[in-house]
């Protein structure tokens, strides 16, 4: 039966009070240096905080007392494999695949393989853990991460739901659930999960949740939601130019072009080399009918990032509106070299070469037809009809 200090430490560890747990285990070991339960609890506590050296010291003490302790062997193998010991990795695999393998042997193998980018191996190891502990919050969370990376967001949703149920006071499972819903195109559910995560998030995680919510509201067409989140971010970090920029994007999406223009101008004053601010400010000038300053800003932004589709395509459009078609092919060639499947660039290249090279125009219009969204395909089709192609 575990000692009093081992039980107290175990309760503290379950509650996330790692330092209290360590003190309880150490107090127990001061009474009985060979207390296996306190030694094992100390190992788990150190591992939970990433204190690898302390964890290895504790696990070696445990193995000295009980050399055949399988979980301790698995922890030692994982720690040494993380340090680059190939033999330790093989030892861990053998421990994890033995018929008597327990939770930590299998979980440690999953964690190590995931760290090394072996998603298939990690997934198999974690799924084997579920055979022993079907409701494990940690395992469902890790499987959700893996399935999201493997392009299976539906499966990720189910795992993150289980993880969120198992850790109702934790923000991270809900944040990842929000991302999985977003990957499925379920923006409403993503916003709902993100909002729930925000109620519990603190510090850097709070900023991460807010940044995700900002993108979700913009994607969902909710400019009011985006503005509200941008203001929250600015309260958190008043000196952040990035959050001023996001606030400008929210105002732009709401059609408040004059207000957005002021914010983008503020960003550009403090970060003169920001091509994103140059591009956004140019868009606001265009929306307000101020073509001359817009053209200047687009020229500067396109010169800074000649392969980025955004500012260069906008510059091409403005030039063509002013009969400057001759400059378009040279401007857009680097963009297409870097982004050969960008339908909008193909369409603008087709328009730019319409008068000078009809064969090239038709070729790019066909590419726009094949690659583009409905509105791009519609314009490309009209252009091909004019070309008789």
């Amino acid at each position: 039966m575990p000692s009093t200090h081992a039980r107290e430490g175990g309760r503290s560890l379950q509650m996330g009070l790692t330092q209290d747990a360590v003190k309880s285990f150490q107090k127990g070991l001061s009474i009985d240096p060979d207390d296996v339960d306190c030694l094992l609890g100390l190992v788990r506590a150190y591992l939970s905080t990433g204190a690898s050296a302390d964890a290895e010291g504790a696990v070696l003490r445990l193995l000295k007392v009980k050399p055949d302790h399988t979980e301790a062997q698995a922890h030692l193998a994982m720690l040494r494999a993380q340090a680059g010991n190939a033999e330790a990795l093989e030892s861990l695999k053998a421990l994890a695949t033995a018929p008597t393998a327990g939770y930590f042997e299998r979980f440690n193998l999953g964690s190590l393989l995931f760290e090394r980018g072996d998603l298939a191996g990690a997934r198999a190891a974690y799924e084997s853990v579920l055979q022993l502990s079907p409701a494990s919050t940690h395992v469902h969370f890790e499987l959700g991460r893996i399935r999201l990376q493997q392009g299976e967001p539906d499966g990720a949703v189910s795992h993150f739901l289980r993880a969120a149920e198992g850790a109702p006071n934790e923000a991270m499972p809900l944040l990842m659930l929000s991302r999985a819903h977003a990957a499925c195109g379920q923006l409403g559910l993503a916003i709902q999960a993100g909002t729930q995560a925000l109620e519990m998030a603190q510090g850097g995680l709070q900023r991460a949740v807010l940044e995700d919510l900002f993108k979700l509201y913009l994607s969902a067409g909710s400019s009011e939601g985006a503005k509200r989140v941008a203001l929250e971010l600015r309260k958190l970090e008043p000196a952040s130019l990035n959050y001023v920029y996001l606030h400008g994007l929210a105002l732009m999406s709401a059609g408040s072009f004059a207000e957005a223009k002021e914010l983008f101008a503020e960003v550009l004053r403090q970060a003169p080399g920001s091509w994103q601010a140059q591009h956004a400010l140019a868009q606001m000038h265009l929306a307000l009918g101020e073509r001359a300053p817009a053209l200047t800003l687009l020229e500067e932004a396109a010169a800074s990032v000649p392969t980025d589709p955004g500012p260069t395509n906008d510059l091409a459009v403005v030039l063509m509106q002013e009969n400057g078609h001759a400059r378009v092919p040279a401007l857009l060639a680097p963009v297409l070299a870097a982004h050969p499947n960008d339908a909008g660039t193909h369409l603008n290249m087709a328009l730019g070469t319409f008068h000078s090279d009809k064969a090239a125009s038709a070729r790019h219009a066909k590419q726009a037809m094949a690659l583009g969204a409905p509105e791009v395909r519609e314009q490309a089709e009209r252009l091909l009809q004019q070309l008789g192609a």
Side-chain angles (χ1 to χ4, degrees):
M1 182 177 178
S3 66
T4 300
H5 293 297
R7 290 197 300 273
E8 289 176 355
R11 284 195 293 270
S12 295
L13 197 55
Q14 287 180 342
M15 295 168 64
L17 304 173
T18 309
Q19 294 303 318
D20 291 344
V22 168
K23 289 177 183 177
S24 293
F25 295 136
Q26 288 176 335
K27 191 169 184 179
L29 290 169
S30 69
I31 299 169
D32 178 5
D34 293 341
D35 186 324
V36 170
D37 294 311
C38 280
L39 285 168
L40 181 58
L42 197 58
V43 171
R44 292 177 179 175
Y46 285 138
L47 286 173
S48 72
T49 61
S52 300
D54 290 332
E56 184 167 347
V59 82
L60 287 171
R61 285 178 63 185
L62 173 53
L63 287 170
K64 187 175 180 180
V65 175
K66 191 172 177 57
D68 62 347
H69 197 290
T70 310
E71 182 184 330
Q73 292 172 346
H75 289 318
L76 182 61
M78 181 186 70
L79 288 165
R80 291 185 170 173
Q82 286 174 329
N85 187 318
E87 291 181 4
L89 173 58
E90 294 307 314
S91 297
L92 181 56
K93 286 180 178 178
L95 288 166
T97 55
T100 56
Y103 179 98
F104 282 101
E105 295 92 284
R106 302 179 189 204
F107 187 89
N108 285 0
L109 179 60
S111 299
L112 187 64
L113 294 176
F114 187 43
E115 285 176 12
R116 298 188 172 196
D118 181 358
L119 297 184
R123 177 171 171 173
Y126 283 132
E127 286 175 343
S128 77
V129 181
L130 289 182
Q131 296 170 11
L132 303 177
S133 183
S136 171
T137 297
H138 293 296
V139 175
H140 280 295
F141 182 80
E142 297 301 333
L143 281 170
R145 292 172 67 198
I146 289 171
R147 296 191 70 170
L148 197 55
Q149 289 191 36
Q150 289 181 325
E152 301 176 14
D154 288 331
V157 164
S158 64
H159 284 298
F160 288 134
L161 278 169
R162 295 290 300 274
E165 290 168 0
N169 298 317
E170 295 291 328
M172 183 58 80
L174 287 165
L175 173 59
M176 295 306 296
L177 175 61
S178 174
R179 290 175 179 176
H181 279 310
C184 293
Q186 300 164 334
L187 296 181
L189 291 173
I191 290 171
Q192 180 181 340
T195 302
Q196 291 174 326
L198 187 59
E199 295 174 1
M200 292 170 279
Q202 296 179 352
L205 189 57
Q206 184 183 16
R207 287 192 296 275
V209 174
L210 284 168
E211 288 173 2
D212 273 27
L213 281 171
F214 178 84
K215 296 172 188 173
L216 289 168
Y217 279 124
L218 271 192
S219 298
S222 174
S223 56
E224 287 303 314
K227 282 194 291 184
R228 186 172 63 252
V229 171
L231 287 170
E232 287 297 318
L233 285 166
R234 292 190 69 183
K235 287 178 187 176
L236 283 178
E237 290 190 31
S240 170
L241 284 182
N242 181 48
Y243 294 155
V244 176
Y245 176 77
L246 295 186
H247 189 191
L249 292 181
L251 290 170
M252 180 170 67
S253 73
S256 302
F257 301 135
E259 295 175 67
K261 173 183 161 182
E262 291 304 315
L263 291 180
F264 294 138
E266 179 185 340
V267 174
L268 198 54
R269 280 193 297 272
Q270 296 189 54
S274 169
W275 68 265
Q276 294 95 336
Q278 289 171 333
H279 185 205
L281 184 55
Q283 290 176 312
M284 293 305 90
H285 280 302
L286 287 172
L288 294 167
E290 301 161 355
R291 297 180 64 81
L295 183 58
T296 300
L297 287 162
L298 288 173
E299 293 274 13
E300 293 173 356
S304 296
V305 282
T307 62
D308 190 278
T312 307
N313 272 291
D314 281 358
L315 176 58
V317 170
V318 173
L319 289 172
M320 287 188 287
Q321 289 171 346
E322 298 181 355
N323 295 317
H325 295 72
R327 286 188 58 196
V328 169
L331 274 174
L332 295 183
V335 179
L336 281 179
H339 305 276
N341 294 324
D342 190 85
T345 306
H346 278 292
L347 178 60
N348 284 329
M349 184 69 95
L351 292 166
T353 55
F354 180 81
H355 298 292
S356 59
D357 188 341
K358 295 197 181 304
S361 181
R363 185 170 66 252
H364 287 292
K366 288 175 182 177
Q367 286 287 82
M369 278 279 291
L371 299 167
E375 62 272 15
V376 172
R377 293 201 302 270
E378 183 180 341
Q379 293 179 66
E381 185 177 11
R382 287 201 303 269
L383 188 60
L384 285 169
Q385 289 172 352
Q386 294 175 42
L387 290 164

